[in-house]
Amino acid sequence: MKKRILLLAGGQSGEHEVSLMSARSVLGALPRDQFDVTPVVISKQGRWLPPTETQRALESGEAATGGDLVLHRVASAEGYDAVFPLLHGPMGEDGTVQGLLTLAGIPFVGSGVLGSSVSMDKVMTKQVLASAGIAQVEWRLAVRREWQQTPDAVRARAAELGFPLFVKPANLGSSVGISKVGTPDELDGALNLAFGLDRRVILEAMTSHKPREVEVGILGNDAPIASPVGELRFDAEFYDYETKYTEGRATMHIPAPLPPEVAARVQAAALTAFRALDCAGLARVDFFYVEETGELLLNEVNTMPGFTTTSMYPKLFEAAGLSYSELVTRLVGLALEER
Ligand SMILES: Nc1ncnc2c1ncn2[C@@H]1O[C@H](COP(=O)(O)OP(=O)(O)O)[C@@H](O)[C@H]1O
Ligand SMILES: [Mg+2]
């Protein structure tokens, strides 16, 4: 019997279009002799689109509008064996959709409510990973109300970290709302930008030198494996939105040219993080490697990483001998696994 799979794509975050691209790749790769796949595109307004509009959105790759309220549609998701929530960012990768599917009793690809929500939040991630003994940059939390009522307290907290520093909304992605703050006079603008997007903001010390950015894929549930390590290289102050999504701005190096001992440290720390955060199925774990000092600092854990055929996560496992099509098949298998 073929498995019936519901593929959710699009979604309400700034990564709507990226998700549509990933979904097209997954649709083309799930073997048709094993799976019956129904795609549903979620509009930027959070409505689930009917088949014709879904098809149109997938073909054009553009943000879709219209559709039905989610609660009308989740009931119709009941006939599926599993859901592949190929959604990035808030309202998709953050435990919200995972909670809905858990309530509906439908198995799904990737982390559950806890792993998704903790990994999405940069502050919670740092707290959990610190308790697991994983090295990270120094950081501080600030909330919007403090910034409105006692801005000097927030400025003082930033000054403790020194300049340059990074200011980031706690719960976004794709570098949206992130600033590299070179001097104190740039701080207010960065904080206003971040607090315009999130109630909670994280202030982060800059690594001591411009770091190398290395990433590793994790695959599995309670016995996860790590892929080879990859590296991103780009010519920009930091890996901002434009550099991420402009063709040709960044290059991927797999395997990363690293001493084997460093690559092994990356893999071990990523597996520890995956377990500590209660992730499942898949995750891409991103690190800063400061070559000058040998420091390896965990930056973030993405529980639904970019998933086109040319994205880092599938490419990392391809280097380990797992084709894109085998990888998505394995992920559905992990969703169906008894845990
Ligand atoms: N503390 C830091 N030190 C040095 N570079 C940083 C630091 N934090 C972020 N960056 C740069 O900013 C980019 C985006 O930050 P990140 O936390 O990964 O945000 P997102 O979740 O949006 O991808 C990183 O890939 C890196 O280039
Ligand atoms: Mg990142």
Side-chain angles (χ1 to χ4, degrees), residues 112-325:
V113 172
L114 180 67
S116 299
S117 59
V118 175
S119 302
M120 186 76 228
D121 187 281
K122 293 184 188 301
V123 174
M124 291 306 294
T125 299
K126 287 214 163 32
Q127 284 172 334
V128 171
L129 296 187
S131 69
I134 291 178
Q136 307 170 88
V137 294
E138 280 256 357
W139 61 276
R140 301 284 186 273
L141 166 70
V143 297
R144 188 187 282 145
R145 202 179 158 82
E146 277 182 295
W147 176 233
Q148 289 163 343
Q149 300 191 341
T150 52
D152 279 338
V154 176
R155 292 184 190 113
R157 211 169 297 154
E160 286 168 18
L161 298 170
F163 294 89
L165 56 81
F166 277 82
V167 174
K168 312 179 181 180
N171 269 284
L172 282 182
S174 287
S175 300
V176 174
I178 296 185
S179 307
K180 181 176 173 181
V181 179
T183 55
D185 58 298
E186 294 166 19
L187 182 64
D188 283 20
L191 285 163
N192 285 329
L193 174 69
F195 278 120
L197 298 166
D198 205 333
R199 233 184 73 246
R200 289 157 69 254
V201 162
I202 185 166
L203 309 162
E204 280 185 25
M206 169 86 193
T207 51
S208 56
H209 298 75
K210 190 173 191 303
R212 288 173 65 181
E213 303 205 22
V214 298
E215 310 192 336
V216 64
I218 303 293
L219 175 66
N221 288 333
D222 292 330
I225 57 165
S227 73
V229 178
E231 178 169 8
L232 281 164
R233 296 213 184 140
F234 49 84
D235 188 20
E237 267 295 301
F238 70 97
Y239 198 35
D240 57 10
Y241 187 90
E242 221 195 307
T243 311
K244 276 182 184 169
Y245 297 117
T246 311
E247 190 65 39
R249 282 287 178 85
T251 52
M252 232 157 46
H253 299 263
I254 302 173
L258 292 170
E261 165 269 327
V262 175
R265 270 162 62 204
V266 169
Q267 291 171 320
L271 285 165
T272 302
F274 189 89
R275 292 199 180 92
L277 293 162
D278 194 29
C279 293
L282 75 165
R284 197 193 72 223
V285 187
D286 301 349
F287 293 84
F288 299 132
Y289 174 54
V290 187
E291 206 167 11
E292 291 82 352
T293 60
E295 274 171 300
L296 185 68
L297 305 163
L298 201 155
N299 175 37
E300 61 165 343
V301 177
N302 299 280
T303 52
M304 194 53 76
F307 220 102
T308 69
T309 48
T310 57
S311 297
M312 180 63 100
Y313 182 87
K315 283 287 175 199
L316 288 170
F317 277 102
E318 205 178 286
L322 205 60
S323 74
Y324 188 91
S325 165

Side-chain angles (χ1 to χ4, degrees), residues 62-101:
E62 275 167 26
T65 54
D68 301 321
L69 280 177
V70 58
L71 290 177
H72 296 163
R73 288 301 297 276
V74 75
S76 60
E78 256 175 329
Y80 293 93
D81 295 301
V83 176
F84 198 141
L86 194 50
L87 304 162
H88 309 300
M91 303 293 186
E93 191 180 346
D94 61 352
T96 50
V97 167
Q98 289 74 15
L100 189 74
L101 297 173

